[in-house]
């Protein structure tokens, strides 16, 4: 039995020892010993259930019993684990147990390992070195499968260790840099101009006395700490990421996810394992109201899902609510940046489609499609990001800028688009940045019960 800090230290110790042993084994060729290279396991025995403050958003259980999870990279999750365990043991009498699990760590998930292929060619001993099997990767806990919640040990955390490892590997693959510097507040965009504005903001902050930010990590791996004559903003990665870091990890990361709902689902499926505090989309959209003008802001407060990519995970009849804490932060930031000019911004339903050329349908087809809708804007990613935020219990929001009015003879064309982009990009990015900074001042604002399920829920956030 261990205390909270002792348990977390033991998780880190076990994982670090296992990965160090893996390096020694592959260097020495003693592959049979790799059977001992396993993920650490954390179990919490809630010895007695009792009523607690009904307002708490997590750290509660429906019944006494044993709850457990296996973890990878516990050093990355140390702050999260401390907060979650502290809340749980504060709410109930608990006993905490930490030890090695029976699940071996595939060497592909351990940075810097060599001779993996040689180990796999080692005849009868090759089976001691596990492959990164997708049989161990699923979202059964997050999606509330019956089997995941009705065994002798109930789930404590949302993901298994290989699900986390493959997600971290894919984040690095798509964004260009490891997950170690990813921050807890995440912005999504489709445009390099937004990431460029973000870099400029970050560099100004690093040069300011008393700034809470300590470095800016770019997709190239360059780490700017202030005073650099130049930084490389460009990237050839599919989803370039820029991390504006604080010592506690509560800074801001921005990711250019590209275009389309599939990209939005791919990256959020991966980011969710690191339990970010919030993510917000700052894209562009087509305005549907003829009274709109280019550059107007749309704060999404409802989501009409025509993107289809999430239909197999969340039924279409399940409403995806707006998160009021995010809405208020974005409204305040727009006030701060634009001087309370509310004629510039409206709230409304965002419709996301997987058809980029949706407006090329006939007038009658568009009439039939939209006649029952109150949508004020059409884009391709916002509903996916919101639906996956809802699914993974990560607070989400959308602040879009109107870039065309296709139903009112103002389609998106190169010349007009470029003029609009140049005049709106800085203010748009700064609205989202200010909102995230406001939320980071007091993360309790985001401690919401609104994303918790009636059934199929785990004790951790």
């Amino acid at each position: 039995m261990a205390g909270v800090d002792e348990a977390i230290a033991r998780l880190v110790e076990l994982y670090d020892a296992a990965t160090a042993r893996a390096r020694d084994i592959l260097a020495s060729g003693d592959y049979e010993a790799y059977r001992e290279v396993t993920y650490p396991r954390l179990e919490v025995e809630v010895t007695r259930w009792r009523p607690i403050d009904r307002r708490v958003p997590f750290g509660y259980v429906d019944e006494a019993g044993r709850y457990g999870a296996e973890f990878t990279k516990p050093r990355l999750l140390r702050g999260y684990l401390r907060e979650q365990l502290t809340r749980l043991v504060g709410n109930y009498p608990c006993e905490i147990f930490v030890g090695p699990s029976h699940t071996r760590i595939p060497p592909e998930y351990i940075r810097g390992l060599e001779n993996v292929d040689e180990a796999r060619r080692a005849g009868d001993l090759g089976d001691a070195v596990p492959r990164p099997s997708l049989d161990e990767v699923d979202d059964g806990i997050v999606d509330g499968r019956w089997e995941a919640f009705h065994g002798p040990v109930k789930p404590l955390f949302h993901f298994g260790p290989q699900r986390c490892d493959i997600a971290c590997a894919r984040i690095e693959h798509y964004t260009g840099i490891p997950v170690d510097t990813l921050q807890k507040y995440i912005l999504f965009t489709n445009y390099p101009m937004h990431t460029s504005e973000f870099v400029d903001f970050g560099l100004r902050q690093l040069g300011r006395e008393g700034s809470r930010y300590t470095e800016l990590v770019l997709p190239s791996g360059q780490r700017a700490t202030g005073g650099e004559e130049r930084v490389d903003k460009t990237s050839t990665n599919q989803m370039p990421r820029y991390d504006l870091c604080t010592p506690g990890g509560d800074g801001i990361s921005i990711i250019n996810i590209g275009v389309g709902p599939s990209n939005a689902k791919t990256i959020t499926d991966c980011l969710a394992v690191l339990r970010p505090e919030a993510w917000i989309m700052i894209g562009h959209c087509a305005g549907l109201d003829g009274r709109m003008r280019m550059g107007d802001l749309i704060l999404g407060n409802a989501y009409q899902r025509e993107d289809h990519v999430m239909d197999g995970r969340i039924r279409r009849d399940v409403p995806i609510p707006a998160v009021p804490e995010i809405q208020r932060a974005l409204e305040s930031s727009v006030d701060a940046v634009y001087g309370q000019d509310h004629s510039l911004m409206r709230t409304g339903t965002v419709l996301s489609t997987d058809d980029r050329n949706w407006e090329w349908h006939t007038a009658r087809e568009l009439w039939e499609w939209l006649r029952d809708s109150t949508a004020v804007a059409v884009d391709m990613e916002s509903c996916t990001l919101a639906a996956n935020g809802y699914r993974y219990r990560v607070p989400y929001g959308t602040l879009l800028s109107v870039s065309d009015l296709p139903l009112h003879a103002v389609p998106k064309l190169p010349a007009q688009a470029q003029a609009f982009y140049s005049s709106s990009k800085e203010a748009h990015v700064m609205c989202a940045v200010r909102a995230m900074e406001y939320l980071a001042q007091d993360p309790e604002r985001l401690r919401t019960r609104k994303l918790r399920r009636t059934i199929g829920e785990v004790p951790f956030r």
Side-chain angles (χ1 to χ4, degrees):
M1 188 172 70
V4 169
D5 288 335
E6 182 185 353
I8 295 169
R10 182 63 176 153
L11 283 172
V12 172
E13 177 188 0
L14 285 172
Y15 180 80
D16 288 351
T19 54
R21 182 147 174 70
R23 294 185 181 93
D24 293 341
I25 289 168
L26 292 190
S28 67
D30 181 18
Y31 304 130
E32 179 66 25
Y34 202 98
R35 298 183 192 278
E36 302 169 12
V37 177
T38 61
Y39 293 104
R41 182 170 180 82
L42 169 68
E43 292 194 358
V44 178
E45 181 82 28
V46 178
T47 58
R48 182 172 58 86
W49 186 89
R50 64 188 180 194
I52 62 170
D53 186 342
R54 292 179 296 169
R55 296 169 296 178
V56 300
F58 44 81
Y60 61 87
V61 297
D62 292 327
E63 59 182 349
R66 203 168 184 96
Y67 297 79
E70 296 170 11
F71 286 93
T72 185
K73 301 177 177 61
R75 191 180 296 275
L76 268 181
L77 293 172
R78 191 156 38 189
Y80 168 83
L81 291 170
R82 180 174 293 109
E83 178 185 39
Q84 302 310 305
L85 281 173
T86 299
R87 286 177 181 255
L88 187 58
V89 303
N91 287 333
Y92 308 98
C94 296
E95 297 179 0
I96 304 175
F97 305 89
V98 178
S101 72
H102 299 294
T103 306
R104 284 173 287 165
I105 307 174
E108 285 84 355
Y109 295 143
I110 302 174
R111 186 177 296 278
L113 281 190
E114 299 178 354
N115 303 325
V116 176
D117 291 339
E118 181 179 336
R120 297 254 165 75
R121 290 193 294 267
D124 293 339
L125 298 182
D127 72 334
V129 182
R131 294 181 181 276
S133 171
L134 293 180
D135 292 342
E136 304 297 328
V137 175
D138 63 59
D139 278 341
I141 299 172
V142 160
D143 292 333
R145 292 183 193 162
W146 175 270
E147 297 79 8
F149 286 86
H150 291 84
V153 179
K154 298 177 178 63
L156 182 69
F157 184 57
H158 308 80
F159 306 99
Q162 287 205 45
R163 169 67 169 84
C164 294
D165 270 334
I166 196 170
C168 290
R170 287 189 176 174
I171 292 170
E172 181 173 353
H173 169 71
Y174 286 119
T175 69
I177 45 179
V179 297
D180 306 64
T181 56
L182 183 78
Q183 300 297 288
K184 297 176 185 177
Y185 297 85
I186 301 173
L187 301 179
F188 299 117
T189 181
N190 307 119
Y191 293 97
M193 64 181 177
H194 286 157
T195 58
S196 179
E197 289 295 331
F198 182 80
V199 169
D200 289 343
F201 164 77
L203 293 175
R204 291 195 301 271
Q205 291 298 302
L206 292 174
R208 184 171 62 84
E209 185 177 352
S211 172
R212 75 188 192 102
Y213 301 108
T214 54
E215 65 175 350
L216 176 66
V217 183
L218 296 104
S220 63
Q222 181 182 1
R223 303 170 86 105
T225 56
E228 284 79 6
E229 292 186 5
R230 60 180 303 236
V231 298
D232 184 6
K233 299 180 183 180
T234 62
S235 174
T236 58
N237 297 99
Q238 290 172 277
M239 299 184 188
R241 184 179 106 229
Y242 303 77
D243 298 334
L244 186 54
C245 304
T246 67
D250 61 346
I252 305 171
S253 292
I254 188 170
I255 306 174
N256 180 353
I257 64 174
V259 175
S262 180
N263 281 7
K265 180 178 183 298
T266 295
I267 194 63
T268 47
D269 280 347
C270 297
L271 293 168
V273 305
L274 296 171
R275 310 315 295 146
E277 295 282 4
W279 57 51
I280 292 175
M281 179 69 192
I282 51 169
H284 290 159
C285 65
L288 298 182
D289 188 332
R291 295 166 292 180
M292 291 178 175
R293 296 292 180 267
M294 301 271 277
D296 283 1
L297 296 176
I298 305 295
L299 178 58
N301 69 352
Y303 298 93
Q304 183 175 337
R305 294 166 52 198
E306 302 280 354
D307 50 342
H308 302 118
V309 71
M310 293 295 300
D311 292 357
R313 297 292 186 175
I314 301 178
R315 300 193 316 269
R316 291 279 296 279
D317 62 343
V318 173
I320 306 299
V323 179
E325 294 78 8
I326 300 283
Q327 302 295 97
R328 288 193 288 268
L330 286 169
E331 285 180 343
S332 297
S333 69
V334 171
D335 288 347
V337 173
Y338 286 96
Q340 298 187 336
D341 182 5
H342 284 286
S343 66
L344 183 71
M345 186 188 76
R346 65 182 291 179
T347 59
T349 299
V350 175
L351 187 161
S352 289
T353 175
D354 55 0
D355 180 5
R356 174 58 190 88
N357 299 320
W358 62 270
E359 66 267 48
W360 294 4
H361 291 82
T362 66
R364 180 167 184 164
E365 289 171 330
L366 290 172
W367 178 279
E368 296 294 333
W369 187 45
L370 295 171
R371 65 179 181 175
D372 296 327
S373 175
T374 61
V376 297
V378 176
D379 81 341
M380 298 188 70
E381 299 84 20
S382 291
C383 290
T384 308
L385 295 168
N388 237 11
Y390 173 88
R391 176 176 169 234
Y392 288 123
R393 294 73 155 170
V394 176
Y396 49 84
T398 296
L399 185 66
L400 303 176
S401 185
V402 175
S403 60
D404 57 320
L405 298 156
L407 301 187
H408 306 283
V410 188
K412 184 179 288 187
L413 298 173
Q416 295 94 322
Q418 291 305 317
F420 157 67
Y421 294 159
S422 63
S423 64
S424 68
K425 57 186 179 181
E426 181 179 3
H428 194 181
V429 171
M430 288 311 303
C431 286
V433 166
R434 284 180 180 269
M436 289 303 206
E437 291 188 321
Y438 170 76
L439 292 168
Q441 290 174 7
D442 181 11
E444 288 298 316
R445 300 179 219 267
L446 291 167
R447 302 298 189 239
T448 174
R449 292 170 290 172
K450 300 175 184 69
L451 301 182
R452 301 285 287 190
R453 307 297 167 81
T454 304
I455 58 174
E457 210 35 281
V458 301
F460 282 7
R461 174 179 68 81

